[in-house]
Amino acid sequence: MAIQTVGIVGAGQMGSGIAHVFALAGYDVLLNDVNADSLSKGLDTIRRNLERQASRGKITEAERDAALARIRTTLTLAELGPTDLVIEAATERETVKQAIFDALLPHLKPETILTSNTSSISITRLASRTDRPEKFMGFHFMNPVPVMQLVELIRGIATDQPTYDALLEVVGRLGKTAASAEDFPAFIVNRILVPMINEAVYTLYEGVGNVRSIDEALKLGANHPMGPLELADFIGLDTCLAIMNVLYDGLADSKYRPCPLLTKYVEAGWLGRKTQRGFYDYRGETPVPTR
Ligand code: NAD
């Protein structure tokens, strides 16, 4: 089945970025959210980012205008019924995603492929509660979506080959690159990246280095573009902790235990850039290490 119309549920950071790249690639996008404010903010972000791409010569003004014209928004989930592909990118809570699928399924064409952008919830479990586990997949975009090249494709245990092939083709049309991951906690990128960040926090906790020396060491000694603590602040320390807990619970291996210092920062509400304080303090002109 050729995919042309795409329904996106959730117009937050990820949903708006996903709508942006699909519209630019020529798909007709229907963007849904429960919150009218999120929809208008999402659309503003898309407009601003397309504008920036056009002003830098990455896309033409005609491409910018055509992409914007391909995005429609709706507060009514049922309107996504006739789309060929649905990407759920709502809040990372299983009950929320479950309720969205329950409400959407009665309106959906039988051939529509259903996907979730979840970072941590089991694709197999989400799929098992729908009427189409063979047409259900994890479709994991990276943040910020218009910039990051990778998309993880995650098969549930029941996902069939035509569904996988259809999504692989979509990733190609978006100009991005797919990595296939099996459905185990945190998939590939977060399975490797977040324990590395957690280890950097242990290195800090045990006094092996301070914030600056740990970040400098990984940037200059391992050629990482950002230090692990700087990166943790960017991702959000609450998100890093949640992913460590998913790995710890899902794989039942003590090597994934979250560092107590990471927990303490989260308890303090020092969540990184979004709260202006994490491993660095962002309230002044330049970030200042907090340890
Ligand atoms: P966000 O908080 O920015 O956006 C979530 C949006 O979902 C909000 O606008 C909210 O109003 C909307 N929403 C909540 N309930 C809804 C419902 N019932 N119907 C429709 N919309 C609803 O979150 P985000 O960072 O965009 O994350 C969305 C998803 O993407 C999560 O599953 C997350 O794990 C995943 N993800 C996030 C990142 C990241 O770096 N932020 C990266 C990859 C994947």
Side-chain angles (χ1 to χ4, degrees), residues 227-250:
L229 300 172
E230 193 185 354
L231 179 58
D233 278 356
F234 184 74
I235 296 171
L237 304 194
D238 51 341
T239 304
C240 293
L241 180 61
I243 294 172
M244 285 312 295
N245 280 324
V246 164
L247 286 166
Y248 189 65
D249 296 341

Side-chain angles (χ1 to χ4, degrees), residues 258-286:
C259 179
L261 186 61
L262 180 61
T263 307
K264 202 183 286 295
Y265 269 72
V266 173
E267 283 171 351
W270 293 13
L271 307 181
R273 282 186 176 269
K274 62 185 166 190
T275 58
Q276 297 220 312
R277 215 171 348 177
F279 293 113
Y280 294 84
D281 187 332
Y282 299 92
R283 291 172 299 171
E285 289 267 295
T286 49

Side-chain angles (χ1 to χ4, degrees), residues 187-226:
F187 317 131
I188 295 175
V189 173
N190 287 335
R191 167 83 176 256
I192 297 170
L193 182 65
V194 182
M196 185 202 68
I197 287 171
N198 192 51
E199 198 60 32
V201 185
Y202 267 112
T203 311
L204 180 66
Y205 175 63
E206 291 169 6
V208 182
N210 61 27
V211 168
R212 210 181 287 284
S213 64
I214 292 167
D215 276 351
E216 286 290 305
L218 268 289
K219 278 197 280 192
L220 303 178
N223 223 9
H224 289 193
M226 276 173 121

Side-chain angles (χ1 to χ4, degrees), residues 82-273:
T83 57
D84 304 320
L85 166 66
V86 170
I87 304 166
E88 174 280 310
T91 310
E92 184 74 345
R93 208 171 310 131
E94 194 157 347
T95 50
V96 169
K97 296 186 185 297
Q98 186 70 60
I100 289 169
F101 295 136
D102 288 348
L104 181 63
L105 285 170
H107 306 280
L108 221 49
K109 294 190 292 186
E111 62 272 29
T112 299
I113 294 177
L114 196 52
T115 68
S116 174
N117 184 48
T118 179
S119 306
S120 63
I121 301 169
S122 161
I123 298 302
T124 301
R125 194 165 64 237
L126 286 175
S128 73
R129 298 181 192 139
T130 72
D131 62 354
R132 62 194 70 204
E134 70 290 344
K135 286 191 177 353
F136 193 102
M137 268 187 61
F139 204 11
H140 190 218
F141 288 82
M142 310 290 133
N143 187 22
V145 184
V147 176
M148 300 297 279
Q149 185 60 28
L150 187 79
V151 185
E152 281 181 303
L153 291 181
I154 304 114
R155 273 185 258 241
I157 206 165
T159 308
D160 66 18
Q161 193 63 32
T163 300
Y164 178 84
D165 292 343
L167 287 195
L168 192 60
E169 198 181 313
V170 169
V171 173
R173 188 165 153 199
L174 296 176
K176 296 197 182 286
T177 305
S180 302
E182 294 305 317
D183 181 26
F184 290 101
F187 317 131
I188 295 175
V189 173
N190 287 335
R191 167 83 176 256
I192 297 170
L193 182 65
V194 182
M196 185 202 68
I197 287 171
N198 192 51
E199 198 60 32
V201 185
Y202 267 112
T203 311
L204 180 66
Y205 175 63
E206 291 169 6
V208 182
N210 61 27
V211 168
R212 210 181 287 284
S213 64
I214 292 167
D215 276 351
E216 286 290 305
L218 268 289
K219 278 197 280 192
L220 303 178
N223 223 9
H224 289 193
M226 276 173 121
L229 300 172
E230 193 185 354
L231 179 58
D233 278 356
F234 184 74
I235 296 171
L237 304 194
D238 51 341
T239 304
C240 293
L241 180 61
I243 294 172
M244 285 312 295
N245 280 324
V246 164
L247 286 166
Y248 189 65
D249 296 341
L251 298 167
D253 188 332
S254 65
K255 77 176 177 182
Y256 297 112
R257 67 200 185 283
C259 179
L261 186 61
L262 180 61
T263 307
K264 202 183 286 295
Y265 269 72
V266 173
E267 283 171 351
W270 293 13
L271 307 181
R273 282 186 176 269

